């Protein structure tokens, strides 16, 4: 079965690093994704990582993947007020069955303290 | 700019009164998805079209139907809305199926059922 788990809230001070964690169950997922949802908007792709990679860095974003533990994390360096949003972890459903679409977690609300 | 557009932004309907939500895309993507998102829950895939091929999720109620008359448009029909169908409905597209699936989302339609 497919299930993606993440904590619902994370509060950080402006300027600190934010680390959002996620666990997933489908070990055959080829790609794992992070999406961002701002108030009143749809989901926007932030970054993704191929399953044979351990780390991917893109400017302030660092994705870490521990495939053995099925654990994915997103680190946002120097967190700004504009980073306040809901962050969704997602896994692809292309586990050999040719399924399309992504399975999402419930999302982590990132709250920035001044 | 190429995009995914959902209309209307807010939709209010009465219990049991059929309602249609619409989605259009200028990306010329092959795949179109409908997700249901309730507060503090993961977006849930209802169904998707790969070109004209309709793919229903096993747990999507029969009350939900979809139409894709052409590449650009996709509709979500709720035949007899219940109070539990109040949610944000998100339309998304991807270029193709399998592998790396970058989903592009519309801003969503917030459905209220009175």
């Amino acid at each position: 079965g497919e299930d993606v788990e993440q904590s619902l809230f994370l509060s950080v001070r402006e300027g600190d690093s934010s680390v959002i964690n996620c666990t997933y169950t489908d070990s055959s997922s080829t790609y794992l994704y992070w999406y961002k949802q701002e108030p009143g908007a749809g989901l926007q792709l932030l970054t993704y990582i191929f399953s044979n990679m351990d780390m991917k860095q893109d400017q302030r974003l660092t994705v870490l993947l521990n495939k053995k533990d099925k654990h994915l994390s997103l680190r946002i360096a120097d967190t700004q007020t504009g980073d306040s949003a809901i962050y969704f972890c997602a896994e692809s459903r292309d586990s050999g069955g040719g399924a399309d679409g992504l399975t999402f977690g419930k999302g982590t609300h990132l709250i920035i303290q001044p | 700019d190429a995009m995914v557009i959902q209309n209307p932004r807010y939709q209010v309907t009465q219990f049991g009164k059929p309602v249609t939500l619409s989605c259009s895309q200028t990306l010329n993507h092959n795949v179109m998805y409908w997700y249901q998102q309730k507060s503090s829950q993961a977006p849930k895939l209802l169904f998707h079209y790969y070109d004209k091929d309709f793919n229903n999720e096993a747990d999507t109620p029969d009350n939900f139907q979809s139409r894709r008359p052409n590449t650009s448009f996709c509709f979500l029909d709720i035949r007899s809305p219940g109070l539990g169908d109040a949610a944000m409905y998100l339309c998304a597209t991807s270029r193709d199926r399998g592998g790396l699936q970058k989903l592009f989302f519309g801003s969503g339609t917030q459905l209220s059922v009175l």
Side-chain angles (χ1 to χ4, degrees):
Chain A
E2 301 165 347
D3 202 8
V4 179
E5 299 287 342
Q6 48 184 132
S7 54
L8 285 182
F9 294 97
L10 175 66
S11 179
V12 298
R13 288 181 179 268
E14 189 176 0
D16 287 351
S17 292
S18 305
V19 180
I20 303 170
N21 295 302
C22 166
T23 57
Y24 61 97
T25 55
D26 190 348
S27 59
S28 59
S29 291
T30 309
Y31 289 91
L32 294 143
Y33 308 79
W34 284 103
Y35 278 78
K36 177 182 181 182
Q37 186 179 33
E38 296 181 0
L43 280 68
Q44 179 183 17
L45 178 64
L46 263 184
T47 187
Y48 61 90
I49 188 167
F50 188 48
S51 59
N52 69 351
M53 297 172 64
D54 297 324
M55 185 182 83
K56 179 180 179 181
Q57 188 154 1
D58 183 2
Q59 299 181 335
R60 292 193 297 124
L61 304 178
T62 303
V63 179
L64 295 177
L65 175 61
N66 181 330
K67 199 172 180 182
K68 174 177 169 291
D69 294 339
K70 298 178 189 171
H71 183 267
L72 183 74
S73 68
L74 173 69
R75 178 177 179 270
I76 306 172
D78 186 24
T79 308
Q80 303 298 310
T81 54
D83 296 324
S84 179
I86 305 174
Y87 291 81
F88 291 89
C89 173
E91 61 179 350
S92 54
R93 290 161 19 114
D94 60 343
S95 48
D100 297 307
L102 305 181
T103 299
F104 289 90
K106 292 182 178 181
T108 299
H109 293 244
L110 179 60
I111 300 163
I112 315 300
Q113 299 175 13
Chain B
D1 286 341
M3 54 178 36
V4 181
I5 301 167
Q6 290 188 244
N7 285 304
R9 183 71 180 87
Y10 300 94
Q11 176 73 57
V12 180
T13 190
Q14 292 178 335
F15 183 93
K17 185 175 180 181
V19 65
T20 295
L21 310 182
S22 70
C23 177
S24 64
Q25 56 128 341
T26 59
L27 298 161
N28 203 32
H29 282 175
N30 287 321
V31 194
M32 294 187 78
Y33 310 84
W34 281 103
Y35 279 86
Q36 180 193 61
Q37 184 184 21
K38 295 185 177 181
S39 180
S40 297
Q41 292 189 24
K44 178 181 179 298
L45 182 62
L46 296 173
F47 27 56
H48 73 277
Y49 274 94
Y50 175 68
D51 195 13
K52 297 178 182 178
D53 181 26
F54 178 69
N55 297 270
N56 198 26
E57 293 300 301
D59 57 354
T60 298
D62 292 340
N63 197 25
F64 291 83
Q65 304 285 322
S66 186
R67 296 170 283 134
R68 189 179 185 185
N70 53 53
T71 301
S72 301
F73 287 88
C74 195
F75 300 96
L76 169 61
D77 301 309
I78 308 177
R79 292 191 297 186
S80 181
L83 298 179
D85 297 328
M88 174 75 84
Y89 289 88
L90 296 167
C91 175
T93 71
S94 65
R95 183 184 303 277
D96 216 327
R97 67 191 334 175
L100 174 61
Q101 297 178 55
K102 294 183 182 179
L103 268 60
F104 293 78
F105 283 84
S107 297
T109 293
Q110 182 68 50
L111 178 68
S112 299
V113 182
L114 304 179

